[in-house]
Amino acid sequence: MAEIERAAGSGFSSFWLGEHGGWDPLTVFAAVGDRAPGIQLGTSVMATYPRHPLALAAQALTTHAATGGRLTLGIGPSHRPTVEGRYGLTWQPPVEHTREVLEVVGPVLRGEDVQVHGKSITAFGGVAAPGTTAPSVLLGAHGPRMLRLAAELTDGVLTQWATPRFLDESLVPAVVSGAAVGAQPRIVVGLLVSVTSDMDATRRRVGEEFGAAATVPTLRAMLDRQGSGGAEDTLVAGDESAVEAEMRRFADAGATELVMLPVGSPEDQARTVGLLADVAARSSGAWAVSAGSGRASS
């Protein structure tokens, strides 16, 4: 994908690709990652359905090796309408199901064998991938129980459409307090961003484009908790100085990495990418500014 090469050439620290019924992110990264050396590659997110966690671990280890150890594996349980309507599978309670998946994926990525016989997952054995290190694993999460699970069994959390206040008061404390002593969990926040002179038109466009996604129960619950009517209420938009100032509010609230999805007119998106590339070049490791493609989901 040319987008990965452009992101690497523009100085972004990482590139994230979601799973939305199209290209398989792990396969894309393995196939084209060598055309964009140096940039980190992340899935935001790979659904825990319909893959068996042993198969997911094998695919992730293969991609991690093929990209020279640059993969972050972001996973999440998807949503009931997708699991039942698209795959025809039985939806399981998400926290319990995800715990069982992580109890397989985590140890297997570290080269261990497992014996798991849970309510929804059975797995025995491991994956032979000699010489391959374990990729970082993040969990797509918004609710309190999933956030605690992310802190307990992964390297951090992937979230989207959060506000700085929600990060500061709810999400970050839940993850940090649940992590092991001395751990520094990753807090990766997906944002819709537009450098624009027409805020009203951009808000309308975002509301129309992401309106259906905002009705998904997990996202709807998070939006309600932080007082957002829809995705348009989480939009980071304005001129260059206003957008950069808002990005810094997220960093101050505890975000360790911002995954930015440019939205708006083609002209505004190009202007947005230019600003984000400039901020990435000037961030000096204070926090990571990443490129994104597709719509992040959990």
Side-chain angles (χ1 to χ4, degrees), residues 26 62 111 142 153 172 248 258:
L26 290 173
T62 302
H142 300 97
L153 294 181
V172 173
R248 296 193 179 280
L258 303 179

Side-chain angles (χ1 to χ4, degrees), residues 230-278:
E232 65 274 17
D233 291 336
T234 73
L235 175 66
V236 176
D239 62 17
E240 283 82 355
S241 61
V243 168
E244 184 170 354
E246 188 68 5
M247 289 168 60
R248 296 193 179 280
R249 286 188 64 207
F250 281 92
D252 292 341
T256 62
E257 186 167 348
L258 303 179
V259 180
M260 318 297 258
L261 180 61
V263 294
S265 68
E267 296 77 16
D268 285 348
Q269 290 190 40
R271 187 178 170 190
T272 303
V273 170
L275 171 68
L276 298 179
D278 180 61

